[in-house]
Short mmCIF file of all heavy atoms in Angstrom, two decimals:
data_model
loop_
_atom_site.label_atom_id
_atom_site.label_comp_id
_atom_site.label_asym_id
_atom_site.label_seq_id
_atom_site.Cartn_x
_atom_site.Cartn_y
_atom_site.Cartn_z
N GLY A 799 215.36 102.89 -63.81
CA GLY A 799 213.93 103.17 -63.70
C GLY A 799 213.20 103.09 -65.02
O GLY A 799 212.05 103.55 -65.13
N HIS A 845 225.58 94.52 -73.33
CA HIS A 845 224.66 93.87 -74.26
C HIS A 845 225.27 92.59 -74.83
O HIS A 845 224.71 91.50 -74.69
CB HIS A 845 224.30 94.84 -75.40
CG HIS A 845 223.32 95.89 -75.02
ND1 HIS A 845 221.99 95.63 -74.79
CD2 HIS A 845 223.47 97.22 -74.82
CE1 HIS A 845 221.36 96.74 -74.47
NE2 HIS A 845 222.24 97.73 -74.48
N ALA A 852 224.77 84.15 -71.97
CA ALA A 852 223.52 83.39 -72.03
C ALA A 852 223.61 82.30 -73.09
O ALA A 852 223.07 81.19 -72.90
CB ALA A 852 222.36 84.33 -72.34
N VAL A 909 207.13 69.05 -61.23
CA VAL A 909 206.87 68.27 -62.45
C VAL A 909 207.78 67.05 -62.55
O VAL A 909 207.77 66.33 -63.55
CB VAL A 909 207.00 69.14 -63.71
CG1 VAL A 909 205.98 70.26 -63.70
CG2 VAL A 909 208.41 69.67 -63.89
#
Side-chain angles (χ1 to χ4, degrees):
H845 284 288
V909 298

